[in-house]
Amino acid sequence: MIYLDNAATSWPKAPGVAEAMTAALGAGNPGRGAHDQALDAGRILLRVRTRAARLFGAAPERVILTHSATHGLNLAIAGLLNPGDHAITTDLEHNSVLRPLYAARARGVELTIVRSERGVISPDAVAAALRPSTRLVAIGHASNVLGTVQPIDAIAQLCVHQGIHLIVDAAQTAGLLPLDFTQTPLAALATGGHKSLLGPAGTGLLVLGDGVRPRPFEVGGTGEDTFNESMPAALPEALEAGTPNVPGLAGLAASLDVVLSAGGTHLARALTQARRLRDGLVASGRFWTPDVDADAWGVPVVSGLILDAAGQPLDVADVADALAQRGIAVRGGFHCAPLVHRRCGTEASGMVRFSPSHLTSHADVDTALAAVREIAGL
Ligand SMILES: Cc1ncc(COP(=O)(O)O)c(C=O)c1O
């Protein structure tokens, strides 16, 4: 199989992930006992926190273990907003940012959605949307449809000077692009563990900036402070109720080791192939792709429509199926990003998204390009 759907979830997972997960099936319940198995589980959680802390420049106790980017975003958004607050987001966001904000709006939060230009949100547009009641800005580091990277540093400076929380959805960039709390004043960063962090599904991280304390999203057992009717006061336990996904987290600890030692090389390799793929598609004359700011395109995602001889777009589901029949995995559809498609005029059609990884080869791209040409009737 030629796997070009890494923006949905990475495949294959990092070396060592499966073995670490299998071994962790023997681990116990962390924080719920003094026997070896419970202690082993606690060590697995600590391994994830220390590695994530290194990757993002944060304190280990401020790394909250979640089960997805969506979980972390819900926790941060619901836990920091109150009725009467104003929140800002953008038309580039995934539903994991938009839907928690729409739910907050239904509870009395005011919401402004800033419009992108050629796939980019300008800090000036965010500044223009600020109000005295603005409490939070939620923005994706990179668009999962357009591959454009947003000017997070400038937006963070804007927010920090006004005492506004900046929450970054790093689902498409964690493991590829750096984002460091010691350099960029973020309130929170959320990511899943299963995309470019190369870990298993069912894992995620919410990293909190100093002094940022969302209300718990879920409450329940933590293995400590049992007679307290509320969650324990200390992080990370205050935001982690219930038995965690210990085997998944063992896999994530192993994949974080691989990502940390790769030191940024994964992005360069994936982008080289994404660029070849995009250039080859454009050169075929049978590809339409939205006009985005070329300087902002910075993660390995290429989306668009395949055209027939008359220049009409082929159905994206048909194209994705035809590629799958040839052993090539891509994603056709709307990518859970409704406003991006509305902005690009693909609300009715969707797009076909190709997302290579650091493991994609020249030959993989050549085979995919030949398959697209054949499907387009060339
Ligand atoms: C930009 C973006 N944000 C959030 C998510 C949600 O990630 P998860 O499914 O891990 O919750 C995705 C996944 O597709 C994404 O691409």
Side-chain angles (χ1 to χ4, degrees):
M1 179 178 44
I2 295 177
Y3 188 78
L4 301 176
D5 199 16
N6 291 279
T9 195
S10 54
W11 183 87
K13 299 305 175 188
V17 167
E19 295 78 358
M21 292 180 74
T22 305
L25 290 171
N29 202 333
R32 275 91 165 160
H35 53 80
D36 281 350
Q37 269 131 316
L39 295 176
D40 279 349
R43 284 185 204 105
I44 289 169
L45 270 53
L46 190 60
R47 274 210 291 279
V48 177
R49 286 191 226 281
T50 51
R51 281 151 182 74
R54 225 161 78 221
L55 189 62
F56 298 115
E61 69 277 10
R62 303 197 72 81
V63 174
I64 312 303
L65 305 175
T66 63
H67 54 72
S68 60
T70 302
H71 181 198
L73 289 163
N74 271 276
L75 204 167
I77 291 170
L80 289 170
L81 285 170
N82 296 303
D85 288 342
H86 174 237
I88 297 174
T89 192
T90 88
D91 64 4
L92 296 176
E93 305 313 318
H94 189 276
N95 268 337
S96 56
V97 171
L98 294 174
R99 286 179 172 159
L101 285 168
Y102 294 149
R105 187 172 61 186
R107 293 192 300 270
V109 167
E110 291 186 276
L111 180 63
T112 300
I113 300 176
V114 173
R115 187 178 158 96
S116 56
E117 294 300 335
R118 302 179 69 223
V120 181
I121 299 296
S122 94
D124 289 347
V126 176
L130 293 177
R131 299 181 193 170
S133 58
T134 306
R135 177 156 169 85
L136 179 153
V137 174
I139 183 168
H141 194 183
S143 162
N144 66 321
V145 181
L146 304 176
T148 44
V149 179
Q150 305 308 315
I152 296 297
D153 283 334
I155 294 171
Q157 292 306 329
L158 196 74
C159 289
V160 77
H161 289 125
Q162 319 255 356
I164 294 167
H165 291 310
L166 177 62
I167 296 178
V168 174
D169 170 6
Q172 289 297 336
T173 55
L176 292 177
L177 282 172
L179 202 52
D180 188 308
F181 280 69
T182 63
Q183 310 290 317
T184 309
L186 305 178
L189 171 157
T191 181
H194 65 99
K195 299 192 201 263
S196 296
L197 290 180
L198 307 176
T203 61
L205 305 166
L206 174 69
V207 187
L208 297 174
D210 286 341
V212 177
R213 278 302 292 263
R215 286 181 299 272
F217 186 63
E218 297 165 323
V219 293
T222 57
E224 61 175 75
D225 206 6
T226 297
F227 291 92
N228 186 347
E229 292 188 2
S230 304
M231 291 293 278
L235 290 176
E237 293 80 10
L239 298 174
E240 292 179 352
T243 301
N245 173 7
V246 176
L249 291 166
L252 182 58
S255 73
L256 283 168
D257 278 338
V258 172
V259 166
L260 282 164
S261 61
T265 55
H266 288 179
L267 178 68
R269 283 159 61 183
L271 269 184
T272 299
Q273 297 309 332
R275 210 171 276 120
R276 284 188 68 238
L277 183 60
R278 188 192 55 189
D279 292 350
L281 288 167
V282 170
S284 74
R286 295 291 183 86
F287 186 60
W288 171 89
T289 187
D291 174 37
V292 299
D293 179 343
D295 293 336
W297 182 77
V299 293
V301 170
V302 176
S303 300
L305 293 165
I306 311 300
L307 309 176
D308 66 15
Q312 291 304 306
L314 299 175
D315 182 89
V316 299
D318 290 348
V319 172
D321 281 351
L323 286 168
Q325 279 163 24
R326 290 164 173 81
I328 300 165
V330 301
R331 170 131 181 240
F334 300 97
H335 319 96
C336 303
L339 306 183
V340 180
H341 284 281
R342 204 169 275 164
R343 187 79 179 87
C344 293
T346 51
E347 191 175 357
S349 62
M351 290 189 231
V352 181
R353 180 181 72 184
F354 302 81
S355 48
S357 78
H358 60 292
L359 298 176
T360 306
S361 68
H362 263 50
D364 291 340
V365 169
D366 291 345
T367 305
L369 286 172
V372 169
R373 291 173 69 86
E374 189 182 296
I375 292 163
L378 285 168

